[in-house]
Amino acid sequence: MYQKSKSVHLKSTASLRYNNLSVLSLPEKNLSSYAVVHKSVVNISNCASDGANANITQRQLQCKEAAGVAQNATILEAKFCELPSRTLLVVCCQKGVQMYEPDGSALVFWHALFNSDGNDGFLFTRGIASVLDSFIAVGTSTGSVLVFSIPPRGTNVQLSETLSGHSYPISAVAGEGDLMASADDSGCIMVWQAGPKFYQLTRINGGGATCSSVCLYKNLVIGGYGTGHIRIFDTQKGNLLTEICAHARWIHAMDLAPSAGLLLSTSEDTTLKVWSLKVDDSRAKVSLPYQGCITDTQLCGARFIGKEGRSLCVTGYDTNEVVCFTRC
């Protein structure tokens, strides 16, 4: 179903982080941008979407203080968030959350985290999603989800709401339509109804294993777990519809190609798998049309390029390339 195509090279290797790959596709410019975290920097590689040319530019982005001074803060996740009016590169780090222009050239917004007791060593942000037309949601180590209101232009980003309910650090956040899902280190998933005010729709209790990646598809919420399982729940009632023994080790990333009904998963077990999803009368039918292996590589990032699932790419721990696949 898929075959390897030309890889995209990075300035440095990928760290072992959840969902450690983000892709921004700009068909009108025949350009694709890839963002991968390495310790305290984000590697950004830009190349032609058709693969005809070598990499055009490479950049390393380091978190900055409000005054523009670089700081050595550990980065946990970076993601291109596409909204109808603008696109931002959102960076989750040990100090808080930062938002940049997509090419990393300018810092747009910086929200710092602080503990009331003054000990900020264990604070971090992790989990990023764009929601509706003007919100970006970011998870925190305290279990809360920060919802930011994004203006069409300029730097007037505002913290509009802080959602509580999780008792463990947030591990992943996803948004689709007017729904948002947040997952934590205990495996708990919460589904939120998005709007001017967010409210909790469903709570799915975890079993103690981290839900490291979460996706929303139609009336389904899909979680990938540290046990290697993929579990599919109903968004309205939280009922478990399907459980898959998908991987032999920790699942680090999942992504959806909604137009094709395809789910991509990757794991520390070196495999990437593409699942076909069919929803019928609140039932989820899953098949496995493709699986591949990248030998001796703990895979930590996965993205479809486009909603149709015609191509995909993955990253692996301690490797300096994004491995790409195209549909045969």
Side-chain angles (χ1 to χ4, degrees):
M1 185 177 180
Y2 290 91
Q3 62 182 7
K4 279 188 180 181
S5 57
K6 189 173 182 179
S7 296
V8 178
H9 291 279
L10 306 167
K11 271 197 167 184
S12 56
T13 61
S15 293
L16 194 61
R17 304 274 192 265
Y18 304 151
N19 307 297
N20 193 4
L21 174 63
S22 185
V23 181
L24 175 63
S25 184
L26 301 171
E28 67 280 3
K29 297 182 179 180
N30 187 33
L31 186 69
S32 292
S33 297
Y34 301 82
V36 178
V37 173
H38 172 76
K39 296 183 179 179
S40 60
V41 300
V42 180
N43 295 298
I44 303 173
S45 290
N46 303 308
C47 67
S49 299
D50 57 14
N53 302 311
N55 288 347
I56 299 172
T57 60
Q58 290 187 330
R59 182 189 187 99
Q60 285 189 317
L61 172 66
Q62 190 171 4
C63 286
K64 297 180 176 65
E65 298 282 4
V69 179
Q71 58 172 315
N72 190 29
T74 299
I75 297 174
L76 285 88
E77 189 175 347
K79 185 176 182 179
F80 295 108
C81 286
E82 298 181 70
L83 298 170
S85 60
R86 69 191 302 184
T87 298
L88 294 173
L89 174 60
V90 182
V91 177
C92 285
C93 68
Q94 208 172 14
K95 304 288 187 178
V97 56
Q98 300 190 345
M99 300 183 187
Y100 293 82
E101 294 296 343
D103 60 358
S105 60
L107 176 64
V108 174
F109 178 73
W110 169 211
H111 178 84
L113 296 180
F114 298 99
N115 261 337
S116 57
D117 59 5
N119 180 14
D120 304 326
F122 297 98
L123 291 177
F124 59 84
T125 53
R126 182 176 60 190
I128 308 165
S130 53
V131 186
L132 293 176
D133 293 339
S134 59
F135 296 104
I136 290 177
V138 177
T140 72
S141 56
T142 63
S144 61
V145 179
L146 309 177
V147 180
F148 297 96
S149 178
I150 311 299
R153 62 185 63 86
T155 61
N156 190 28
V157 177
Q158 295 183 349
L159 176 62
S160 63
E161 201 168 353
T162 299
L163 307 177
S164 59
H166 288 276
S167 302
Y168 293 84
I170 302 297
S171 51
V173 182
E176 179 62 34
D178 61 352
L179 293 180
M180 185 187 79
S182 55
D184 67 30
D185 280 348
S186 73
C188 172
I189 299 175
M190 297 182 71
V191 181
W192 307 85
Q193 183 71 54
K197 287 291 183 182
F198 286 61
Y199 64 88
Q200 181 183 324
L201 191 64
T202 309
R203 179 186 177 91
I204 302 165
N205 292 324
T210 297
C211 180
S212 53
S213 190
V214 65
C215 297
L216 288 165
Y217 176 66
K218 295 185 176 179
N219 62 333
L220 307 176
V221 55
I222 306 168
Y225 294 82
T227 57
H229 291 82
I230 294 175
R231 297 186 179 99
I232 303 177
F233 304 90
D234 175 76
T235 56
Q236 299 298 317
K237 298 180 180 179
N239 296 334
L240 176 63
L241 304 178
T242 302
E243 182 177 51
I244 311 164
C245 296
H247 292 274
R249 297 187 67 182
W250 202 292
I251 294 174
H252 266 257
M254 297 193 308
D255 192 33
L256 274 167
S259 298
L262 297 176
L263 173 71
L264 170 63
S265 64
T266 57
S267 166
E268 289 181 347
D269 66 4
T270 77
T271 63
L272 60 141
K273 298 186 179 183
V274 177
W275 310 87
S276 177
L277 304 175
K278 292 185 179 180
V279 183
D280 181 23
D281 296 331
S282 297
R283 292 179 298 174
K285 298 179 180 179
V286 184
S287 60
L288 180 63
Y290 176 79
Q291 62 178 330
C293 176
I294 301 179
T295 307
D296 298 328
T297 304
Q298 294 176 284
L299 299 180
C300 56
R303 297 291 293 181
F304 282 111
I305 303 175
K307 296 182 178 182
E308 296 77 22
R310 296 192 182 98
S311 57
L312 60 89
C313 52
V314 298
T315 54
Y317 170 57
D318 209 26
T319 62
N320 65 343
E321 64 178 0
V322 179
V323 183
C324 299
F325 296 79
T326 55
R327 189 179 291 179
C328 303

